[in-house]
């Protein structure tokens, strides 16, 4: 089922993988200091940081929905469509 409530995930070391139904609606901010952010949701926009190492993706998928915040310092973040 698509997420209904806000989600906040944070860790210091390690890769993060978040699978969401392809029909989900949500607002997302995902950031890593030393890694990459990959998203299968085309509506999300990669952002360039003044710190060349930091990678982030931010945006709105669908209309409305919860806020999702995902952050790690040393690792990759992967957002995947499910179903």
């Amino acid at each position: 089922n698509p997420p209904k409530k806000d989600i906040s995930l944070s860790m210091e070391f390690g890769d993060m993988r978040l699978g969401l139904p392809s029909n989900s609606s949500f607002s997302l901010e995902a950031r890593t200091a030393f890694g990459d952010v990959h998203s299968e949701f085309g509506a999300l926009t990669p952002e360039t940081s003044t710190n060349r190492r930091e990678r982030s993706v931010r945006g709105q998928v669908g209309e409305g929905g919860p806020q999702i915040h995902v952050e790690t310092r040393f690792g990759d973040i992967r957002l995947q469509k499910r179903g």
Side-chain angles (χ1 to χ4, degrees), residues 26-75:
F26 57 89
S27 172
L28 176 108
E29 181 177 354
R31 178 181 10 229
T32 179
F34 299 93
D36 287 310
V37 180
H38 307 278
S39 173
E40 294 180 358
F41 292 91
L44 301 172
T45 307
E47 294 188 343
T48 305
S49 171
T50 55
N51 174 350
R52 294 179 186 211
R53 292 181 184 161
E54 186 173 286
R55 301 283 187 263
S56 63
V57 169
R58 177 187 303 230
Q60 177 71 40
V61 173
E63 295 182 18
Q67 293 184 355
I68 299 175
H69 178 84
V70 183
E71 186 170 2
T72 184
R73 274 192 53 74
F74 298 93

